[in-house]
Amino acid sequence: NSFSVIFCQQGLQLFPDEDAALAEMKRLLRPGGKIAVSVWSKPPPLFTALADALKRHISEAVGNQSLAPFGYKGRETMLAKMAALGFSGMDRQEFAVDRVIRDPLNAIPKEIASNPVGPTVAKSGQATISKITEEVLEEVSLYLKGDNIILPQHTHLFVASV
């Protein structure tokens, strides 16, 4: 009963027990409070290109693991889960946001490093990371706008009240 709003952005899919996480969020909300939970939809072109390059240069398993944030299976059952926990006034929206990647030659290696597979990829060395970056840039060249990559990234937003 402490917060009027809780927002969980692209994190629920990473909790080992999402029901427990949602229940804890509900516990923290004061009466009339709102919860907003966003989870990624399908992998955007940048991440499918990255996964393909990782499969070629590192391993199939590493490529698949890099897509984990987009593999959330609970999107279809989220509203039912929220209702079962006592949330009300639930709504679901899907939309795309434009992701702008400035200086892609430097940004893509940072994206790799920030991914859970980053330490594994780093062990392959800078030459491999440069090759992966080059292949990803080639694959997403359709999205190049000047010096930036601008591409859609789809998300689901669930909103409810207590």
Side-chain angles (χ1 to χ4, degrees):
N1 291 331
S2 299
F3 296 92
S4 55
V5 175
I6 291 180
F7 181 58
C8 180
Q9 180 180 356
Q10 312 307 337
L12 188 67
Q13 64 267 40
L14 305 176
F15 285 101
D17 185 342
E18 67 190 57
D19 291 340
L22 286 168
E24 183 64 9
M25 290 179 213
K26 183 177 183 283
R27 185 187 72 77
L28 292 171
L29 283 170
R30 62 177 58 133
K34 296 225 180 244
I35 182 173
V37 176
S38 65
V39 294
W40 291 126
S41 186
K42 62 186 178 184
L46 175 73
F47 286 93
T48 55
L50 178 58
D52 291 345
L54 290 170
K55 289 174 186 177
R56 285 190 295 275
H57 293 282
I58 309 296
S59 73
E60 184 88 13
V62 168
N64 290 335
Q65 184 184 2
S66 73
L67 293 174
F70 308 100
Y72 179 64
K73 306 272 189 266
R75 287 184 295 271
E76 300 309 315
T77 59
M78 177 66 75
L79 294 179
K81 285 179 188 212
M82 291 175 123
L85 289 167
F87 287 100
S88 63
M90 293 155 305
D91 184 40
R92 171 187 174 168
Q93 299 174 25
E94 182 177 358
F95 56 92
V97 294
D98 281 340
R99 173 127 187 233
V100 179
I101 300 163
R102 298 183 197 317
D103 190 13
L105 280 174
N106 288 314
I108 292 171
K110 289 177 183 175
E111 190 70 52
I112 294 168
S114 69
N115 191 291
V117 301
T120 301
V121 177
K123 291 177 187 173
S124 69
Q126 189 55 48
T128 301
I129 293 170
S130 294
K131 186 68 176 158
I132 290 168
T133 300
E134 184 180 302
E135 290 178 13
V136 169
L137 278 172
E138 185 176 319
E139 189 148 337
V140 298
S141 63
L142 171 70
Y143 300 99
L144 275 172
K145 308 279 192 267
D147 294 335
N148 301 321
I149 297 171
I150 302 173
L151 48 83
Q153 202 157 325
H154 294 264
T155 191
H156 294 268
L157 178 65
F158 299 90
V159 179
S161 302
V162 293

Short mmCIF file of all heavy atoms in Angstrom, two decimals, residues 85-137:
data_model
loop_
_atom_site.label_atom_id
_atom_site.label_comp_id
_atom_site.label_asym_id
_atom_site.label_seq_id
_atom_site.Cartn_x
_atom_site.Cartn_y
_atom_site.Cartn_z
N LEU A 85 -4.99 -12.44 -9.92
CA LEU A 85 -4.33 -11.80 -8.78
C LEU A 85 -5.16 -10.67 -8.18
O LEU A 85 -4.75 -10.06 -7.19
CB LEU A 85 -2.95 -11.29 -9.19
CG LEU A 85 -1.90 -12.37 -9.46
CD1 LEU A 85 -0.69 -11.77 -10.16
CD2 LEU A 85 -1.49 -13.04 -8.17
N GLY A 86 -6.30 -10.36 -8.79
CA GLY A 86 -7.17 -9.33 -8.23
C GLY A 86 -7.05 -7.96 -8.87
O GLY A 86 -7.61 -6.99 -8.36
N PHE A 87 -6.32 -7.85 -9.96
CA PHE A 87 -6.27 -6.57 -10.67
C PHE A 87 -7.59 -6.37 -11.39
O PHE A 87 -8.31 -7.33 -11.70
CB PHE A 87 -5.12 -6.56 -11.69
CG PHE A 87 -3.75 -6.46 -11.08
CD1 PHE A 87 -2.96 -7.57 -10.90
CD2 PHE A 87 -3.25 -5.22 -10.68
CE1 PHE A 87 -1.69 -7.48 -10.35
CE2 PHE A 87 -1.99 -5.12 -10.13
CZ PHE A 87 -1.20 -6.24 -9.96
N SER A 88 -7.91 -5.13 -11.71
CA SER A 88 -9.15 -4.83 -12.44
C SER A 88 -8.85 -3.80 -13.53
O SER A 88 -7.75 -3.24 -13.58
CB SER A 88 -10.21 -4.30 -11.49
OG SER A 88 -9.77 -3.08 -10.90
N GLY A 89 -9.85 -3.55 -14.37
CA GLY A 89 -9.72 -2.52 -15.40
C GLY A 89 -8.53 -2.76 -16.32
O GLY A 89 -7.86 -1.82 -16.72
N MET A 90 -8.30 -4.01 -16.66
CA MET A 90 -7.10 -4.36 -17.42
C MET A 90 -7.24 -3.99 -18.89
O MET A 90 -8.31 -4.06 -19.47
CB MET A 90 -6.83 -5.85 -17.28
CG MET A 90 -6.45 -6.20 -15.85
SD MET A 90 -6.79 -7.90 -15.43
CE MET A 90 -8.47 -8.07 -15.81
N ASP A 91 -6.11 -3.61 -19.48
CA ASP A 91 -6.06 -3.25 -20.89
C ASP A 91 -4.74 -3.72 -21.46
O ASP A 91 -3.72 -3.75 -20.75
CB ASP A 91 -6.21 -1.73 -21.05
CG ASP A 91 -6.27 -1.30 -22.50
OD1 ASP A 91 -6.92 -2.00 -23.31
OD2 ASP A 91 -5.65 -0.27 -22.84
N ARG A 92 -4.77 -4.06 -22.74
CA ARG A 92 -3.56 -4.49 -23.44
C ARG A 92 -3.46 -3.72 -24.74
O ARG A 92 -4.44 -3.59 -25.46
CB ARG A 92 -3.64 -5.98 -23.74
CG ARG A 92 -2.53 -6.48 -24.64
CD ARG A 92 -2.78 -7.92 -25.02
NE ARG A 92 -1.81 -8.36 -25.99
CZ ARG A 92 -1.64 -9.61 -26.33
NH1 ARG A 92 -2.37 -10.56 -25.80
NH2 ARG A 92 -0.74 -9.93 -27.21
N GLN A 93 -2.27 -3.20 -25.01
CA GLN A 93 -2.00 -2.51 -26.27
C GLN A 93 -0.71 -3.05 -26.86
O GLN A 93 0.20 -3.42 -26.13
CB GLN A 93 -1.84 -1.01 -26.05
CG GLN A 93 -3.05 -0.33 -25.47
CD GLN A 93 -2.76 1.12 -25.14
OE1 GLN A 93 -1.88 1.75 -25.71
NE2 GLN A 93 -3.51 1.67 -24.19
N GLU A 94 -0.66 -3.11 -28.16
CA GLU A 94 0.59 -3.45 -28.84
C GLU A 94 0.94 -2.29 -29.75
O GLU A 94 0.08 -1.75 -30.43
CB GLU A 94 0.46 -4.73 -29.66
CG GLU A 94 1.77 -5.11 -30.33
CD GLU A 94 1.72 -6.42 -31.11
OE1 GLU A 94 0.68 -7.07 -31.12
OE2 GLU A 94 2.75 -6.76 -31.70
N PHE A 95 2.20 -1.89 -29.72
CA PHE A 95 2.63 -0.80 -30.57
C PHE A 95 4.11 -0.94 -30.87
O PHE A 95 4.81 -1.74 -30.26
CB PHE A 95 2.31 0.56 -29.94
CG PHE A 95 2.89 0.77 -28.58
CD1 PHE A 95 4.12 1.36 -28.41
CD2 PHE A 95 2.18 0.37 -27.45
CE1 PHE A 95 4.66 1.55 -27.14
CE2 PHE A 95 2.70 0.56 -26.17
CZ PHE A 95 3.94 1.14 -26.03
N ALA A 96 4.55 -0.17 -31.84
CA ALA A 96 5.96 -0.16 -32.21
C ALA A 96 6.56 1.18 -31.83
O ALA A 96 5.91 2.22 -31.94
CB ALA A 96 6.13 -0.40 -33.70
N VAL A 97 7.77 1.12 -31.36
CA VAL A 97 8.53 2.34 -31.10
C VAL A 97 9.73 2.32 -32.04
O VAL A 97 10.26 1.25 -32.37
CB VAL A 97 9.00 2.43 -29.62
CG1 VAL A 97 7.82 2.58 -28.69
CG2 VAL A 97 9.85 1.23 -29.23
N ASP A 98 10.11 3.48 -32.52
CA ASP A 98 11.30 3.55 -33.37
C ASP A 98 12.53 3.57 -32.49
O ASP A 98 12.67 4.43 -31.62
CB ASP A 98 11.28 4.80 -34.25
CG ASP A 98 10.39 4.66 -35.46
OD1 ASP A 98 10.08 3.51 -35.84
OD2 ASP A 98 10.00 5.69 -36.03
N ARG A 99 13.37 2.61 -32.70
CA ARG A 99 14.65 2.56 -31.98
C ARG A 99 15.69 3.24 -32.85
O ARG A 99 15.87 2.86 -34.01
CB ARG A 99 15.04 1.11 -31.71
CG ARG A 99 16.42 0.98 -31.11
CD ARG A 99 16.40 0.18 -29.86
NE ARG A 99 17.69 0.20 -29.23
CZ ARG A 99 18.35 -0.89 -28.87
NH1 ARG A 99 17.81 -2.07 -29.06
NH2 ARG A 99 19.51 -0.79 -28.28
N VAL A 100 16.35 4.23 -32.31
CA VAL A 100 17.38 4.96 -33.03
C VAL A 100 18.74 4.53 -32.49
O VAL A 100 18.99 4.64 -31.28
CB VAL A 100 17.20 6.49 -32.88
CG1 VAL A 100 18.31 7.24 -33.62
CG2 VAL A 100 15.83 6.92 -33.37
N ILE A 101 19.57 4.04 -33.38
CA ILE A 101 20.91 3.60 -32.99
C ILE A 101 21.90 4.54 -33.68
O ILE A 101 22.09 4.49 -34.90
CB ILE A 101 21.15 2.14 -33.38
CG1 ILE A 101 20.13 1.27 -32.66
CG2 ILE A 101 22.58 1.72 -33.06
CD1 ILE A 101 19.97 -0.09 -33.23
N ARG A 102 22.48 5.41 -32.88
CA ARG A 102 23.45 6.37 -33.40
C ARG A 102 24.83 5.72 -33.39
O ARG A 102 25.13 4.91 -32.53
CB ARG A 102 23.45 7.63 -32.52
CG ARG A 102 22.11 8.34 -32.51
CD ARG A 102 22.13 9.62 -31.70
NE ARG A 102 20.89 10.19 -31.30
CZ ARG A 102 19.79 10.34 -31.99
NH1 ARG A 102 19.74 9.88 -33.20
NH2 ARG A 102 18.71 10.91 -31.52
N ASP A 103 25.63 6.09 -34.36
CA ASP A 103 26.99 5.57 -34.46
C ASP A 103 27.00 4.04 -34.35
O ASP A 103 27.58 3.47 -33.43
CB ASP A 103 27.86 6.21 -33.38
CG ASP A 103 29.34 5.91 -33.56
OD1 ASP A 103 29.75 5.43 -34.65
OD2 ASP A 103 30.09 6.13 -32.59
N PRO A 104 26.34 3.36 -35.29
CA PRO A 104 26.16 1.91 -35.18
C PRO A 104 27.46 1.10 -35.07
O PRO A 104 27.47 0.06 -34.42
CB PRO A 104 25.39 1.52 -36.44
CG PRO A 104 25.05 2.76 -37.15
CD PRO A 104 25.69 3.91 -36.46
N LEU A 105 28.55 1.58 -35.68
CA LEU A 105 29.81 0.83 -35.56
C LEU A 105 30.27 0.71 -34.12
O LEU A 105 30.88 -0.29 -33.74
CB LEU A 105 30.91 1.50 -36.40
CG LEU A 105 30.87 1.19 -37.89
CD1 LEU A 105 31.92 2.01 -38.64
CD2 LEU A 105 31.08 -0.29 -38.15
N ASN A 106 29.99 1.71 -33.30
CA ASN A 106 30.32 1.65 -31.88
C ASN A 106 29.17 1.12 -31.04
O ASN A 106 29.38 0.49 -30.01
CB ASN A 106 30.75 3.03 -31.37
CG ASN A 106 32.10 3.42 -31.89
OD1 ASN A 106 33.04 2.63 -31.88
ND2 ASN A 106 32.21 4.64 -32.39
N ALA A 107 27.94 1.40 -31.48
CA ALA A 107 26.77 1.01 -30.68
C ALA A 107 26.51 -0.50 -30.71
O ALA A 107 26.11 -1.08 -29.69
CB ALA A 107 25.53 1.75 -31.17
N ILE A 108 26.72 -1.14 -31.84
CA ILE A 108 26.43 -2.58 -31.93
C ILE A 108 27.33 -3.40 -31.00
O ILE A 108 26.84 -4.26 -30.27
CB ILE A 108 26.45 -3.07 -33.39
CG1 ILE A 108 25.25 -2.45 -34.13
CG2 ILE A 108 26.40 -4.60 -33.47
CD1 ILE A 108 25.24 -2.67 -35.62
N PRO A 109 28.64 -3.15 -30.98
CA PRO A 109 29.46 -3.89 -30.00
C PRO A 109 29.02 -3.63 -28.54
O PRO A 109 29.07 -4.54 -27.71
CB PRO A 109 30.88 -3.36 -30.24
CG PRO A 109 30.87 -2.94 -31.67
CD PRO A 109 29.48 -2.38 -31.90
N LYS A 110 28.56 -2.42 -28.24
CA LYS A 110 28.05 -2.14 -26.89
C LYS A 110 26.76 -2.90 -26.64
O LYS A 110 26.53 -3.36 -25.53
CB LYS A 110 27.85 -0.63 -26.71
CG LYS A 110 29.15 0.14 -26.64
CD LYS A 110 28.92 1.63 -26.53
CE LYS A 110 30.26 2.36 -26.52
NZ LYS A 110 30.08 3.81 -26.52
N GLU A 111 25.93 -3.01 -27.67
CA GLU A 111 24.70 -3.80 -27.54
C GLU A 111 25.03 -5.26 -27.26
O GLU A 111 24.42 -5.90 -26.42
CB GLU A 111 23.88 -3.68 -28.84
CG GLU A 111 22.50 -4.24 -28.76
CD GLU A 111 21.57 -3.42 -27.89
OE1 GLU A 111 21.46 -2.20 -28.07
OE2 GLU A 111 20.93 -4.02 -26.99
N ILE A 112 26.02 -5.77 -27.94
CA ILE A 112 26.46 -7.15 -27.71
C ILE A 112 26.96 -7.30 -26.28
O ILE A 112 26.60 -8.24 -25.57
CB ILE A 112 27.57 -7.56 -28.72
CG1 ILE A 112 27.00 -7.60 -30.15
CG2 ILE A 112 28.18 -8.91 -28.34
CD1 ILE A 112 28.07 -7.70 -31.23
N ALA A 113 27.79 -6.36 -25.83
CA ALA A 113 28.36 -6.43 -24.49
C ALA A 113 27.29 -6.36 -23.41
O ALA A 113 27.43 -6.99 -22.35
CB ALA A 113 29.38 -5.31 -24.29
N SER A 114 26.19 -5.63 -23.67
CA SER A 114 25.15 -5.49 -22.66
C SER A 114 24.16 -6.66 -22.66
O SER A 114 23.35 -6.78 -21.75
CB SER A 114 24.38 -4.18 -22.86
OG SER A 114 23.61 -4.23 -24.04
N ASN A 115 24.24 -7.50 -23.65
CA ASN A 115 23.37 -8.67 -23.75
C ASN A 115 23.89 -9.75 -22.80
O ASN A 115 25.10 -9.80 -22.53
CB ASN A 115 23.40 -9.17 -25.21
CG ASN A 115 22.35 -10.20 -25.51
OD1 ASN A 115 22.42 -11.32 -25.03
ND2 ASN A 115 21.38 -9.83 -26.33
N PRO A 116 23.02 -10.62 -22.28
CA PRO A 116 23.51 -11.69 -21.40
C PRO A 116 24.61 -12.56 -22.03
O PRO A 116 25.41 -13.14 -21.31
CB PRO A 116 22.26 -12.52 -21.12
CG PRO A 116 21.14 -11.55 -21.25
CD PRO A 116 21.55 -10.60 -22.35
N VAL A 117 24.68 -12.59 -23.36
CA VAL A 117 25.72 -13.40 -24.01
C VAL A 117 27.02 -12.61 -24.17
O VAL A 117 28.02 -13.15 -24.67
CB VAL A 117 25.25 -13.94 -25.38
CG1 VAL A 117 24.01 -14.80 -25.22
CG2 VAL A 117 25.03 -12.83 -26.39
N GLY A 118 27.03 -11.35 -23.75
CA GLY A 118 28.19 -10.49 -23.94
C GLY A 118 29.52 -11.07 -23.49
O GLY A 118 30.49 -11.05 -24.25
N PRO A 119 29.61 -11.60 -22.24
CA PRO A 119 30.89 -12.16 -21.81
C PRO A 119 31.38 -13.32 -22.68
O PRO A 119 32.57 -13.44 -22.95
CB PRO A 119 30.61 -12.62 -20.38
CG PRO A 119 29.48 -11.75 -19.92
CD PRO A 119 28.62 -11.54 -21.15
N THR A 120 30.46 -14.15 -23.14
CA THR A 120 30.84 -15.27 -24.01
C THR A 120 31.36 -14.74 -25.34
O THR A 120 32.38 -15.22 -25.85
CB THR A 120 29.62 -16.20 -24.25
OG1 THR A 120 29.18 -16.69 -22.99
CG2 THR A 120 29.98 -17.36 -25.15
N VAL A 121 30.68 -13.77 -25.89
CA VAL A 121 31.10 -13.20 -27.18
C VAL A 121 32.44 -12.48 -27.02
O VAL A 121 33.31 -12.59 -27.89
CB VAL A 121 30.01 -12.25 -27.73
CG1 VAL A 121 30.47 -11.61 -29.04
CG2 VAL A 121 28.70 -13.01 -27.95
N ALA A 122 32.65 -11.79 -25.92
CA ALA A 122 33.91 -11.07 -25.69
C ALA A 122 35.11 -12.01 -25.74
O ALA A 122 36.18 -11.63 -26.22
CB ALA A 122 33.87 -10.33 -24.36
N LYS A 123 34.92 -13.24 -25.29
CA LYS A 123 36.02 -14.22 -25.31
C LYS A 123 36.46 -14.57 -26.73
O LYS A 123 37.57 -15.05 -26.93
CB LYS A 123 35.61 -15.50 -24.58
CG LYS A 123 35.45 -15.31 -23.09
CD LYS A 123 34.96 -16.60 -22.45
CE LYS A 123 34.64 -16.38 -20.99
NZ LYS A 123 34.01 -17.54 -20.36
N SER A 124 35.60 -14.32 -27.71
CA SER A 124 35.94 -14.65 -29.10
C SER A 124 36.92 -13.65 -29.70
O SER A 124 37.50 -13.91 -30.75
CB SER A 124 34.67 -14.72 -29.95
OG SER A 124 34.12 -13.42 -30.10
N GLY A 125 37.07 -12.50 -29.06
CA GLY A 125 38.04 -11.51 -29.52
C GLY A 125 37.44 -10.40 -30.35
O GLY A 125 36.34 -10.51 -30.89
N GLN A 126 38.20 -9.33 -30.46
CA GLN A 126 37.73 -8.12 -31.15
C GLN A 126 37.51 -8.36 -32.64
O GLN A 126 36.59 -7.80 -33.22
CB GLN A 126 38.72 -6.97 -30.94
CG GLN A 126 38.21 -5.64 -31.44
CD GLN A 126 36.85 -5.26 -30.85
OE1 GLN A 126 36.63 -5.34 -29.64
NE2 GLN A 126 35.92 -4.84 -31.70
N ALA A 127 38.33 -9.20 -33.27
CA ALA A 127 38.15 -9.44 -34.70
C ALA A 127 36.79 -10.08 -34.98
O ALA A 127 36.11 -9.71 -35.95
CB ALA A 127 39.28 -10.33 -35.23
N THR A 128 36.39 -11.02 -34.14
CA THR A 128 35.09 -11.66 -34.31
C THR A 128 33.95 -10.68 -34.05
O THR A 128 32.97 -10.64 -34.80
CB THR A 128 34.97 -12.89 -33.39
OG1 THR A 128 36.01 -13.80 -33.71
CG2 THR A 128 33.63 -13.57 -33.55
N ILE A 129 34.09 -9.88 -33.02
CA ILE A 129 33.07 -8.87 -32.71
C ILE A 129 32.93 -7.88 -33.88
O ILE A 129 31.82 -7.51 -34.27
CB ILE A 129 33.37 -8.15 -31.38
CG1 ILE A 129 33.23 -9.15 -30.23
CG2 ILE A 129 32.45 -6.95 -31.18
CD1 ILE A 129 33.71 -8.65 -28.89
N SER A 130 34.05 -7.49 -34.47
CA SER A 130 34.01 -6.58 -35.63
C SER A 130 33.32 -7.23 -36.81
O SER A 130 32.53 -6.58 -37.51
CB SER A 130 35.43 -6.16 -36.02
OG SER A 130 36.01 -5.38 -35.00
N LYS A 131 33.57 -8.50 -37.04
CA LYS A 131 32.92 -9.23 -38.14
C LYS A 131 31.41 -9.34 -37.89
O LYS A 131 30.61 -9.13 -38.81
CB LYS A 131 33.55 -10.62 -38.29
CG LYS A 131 33.05 -11.39 -39.47
CD LYS A 131 33.50 -10.75 -40.76
CE LYS A 131 33.06 -11.61 -41.94
NZ LYS A 131 33.00 -10.85 -43.17
N ILE A 132 31.03 -9.66 -36.66
CA ILE A 132 29.60 -9.73 -36.31
C ILE A 132 28.95 -8.37 -36.55
O ILE A 132 27.88 -8.28 -37.15
CB ILE A 132 29.43 -10.19 -34.84
CG1 ILE A 132 29.83 -11.67 -34.71
CG2 ILE A 132 27.99 -9.96 -34.36
CD1 ILE A 132 29.97 -12.15 -33.27
N THR A 133 29.60 -7.30 -36.09
CA THR A 133 29.07 -5.94 -36.27
C THR A 133 28.89 -5.62 -37.74
O THR A 133 27.85 -5.10 -38.15
CB THR A 133 30.02 -4.92 -35.61
OG1 THR A 133 30.12 -5.22 -34.22
CG2 THR A 133 29.53 -3.49 -35.79
N GLU A 134 29.88 -5.95 -38.55
CA GLU A 134 29.83 -5.70 -39.99
C GLU A 134 28.65 -6.44 -40.63
O GLU A 134 27.90 -5.87 -41.43
CB GLU A 134 31.16 -6.18 -40.58
CG GLU A 134 31.37 -5.95 -42.04
CD GLU A 134 32.74 -6.50 -42.43
OE1 GLU A 134 33.76 -6.07 -41.86
OE2 GLU A 134 32.77 -7.37 -43.32
N GLU A 135 28.44 -7.70 -40.25
CA GLU A 135 27.35 -8.49 -40.81
C GLU A 135 25.98 -7.96 -40.36
O GLU A 135 25.04 -7.93 -41.15
CB GLU A 135 27.50 -9.95 -40.43
CG GLU A 135 28.66 -10.62 -41.13
CD GLU A 135 28.86 -12.07 -40.75
OE1 GLU A 135 27.96 -12.67 -40.11
OE2 GLU A 135 29.93 -12.62 -41.09
N VAL A 136 25.88 -7.55 -39.10
CA VAL A 136 24.62 -6.98 -38.61
C VAL A 136 24.31 -5.69 -39.37
O VAL A 136 23.17 -5.49 -39.83
CB VAL A 136 24.68 -6.73 -37.09
CG1 VAL A 136 23.49 -5.90 -36.62
CG2 VAL A 136 24.74 -8.05 -36.33
N LEU A 137 25.29 -4.83 -39.53
CA LEU A 137 25.08 -3.58 -40.28
C LEU A 137 24.63 -3.86 -41.70
O LEU A 137 23.73 -3.17 -42.22
CB LEU A 137 26.35 -2.75 -40.28
CG LEU A 137 26.59 -1.91 -39.05
CD1 LEU A 137 27.98 -1.28 -39.08
CD2 LEU A 137 25.53 -0.84 -38.93
#
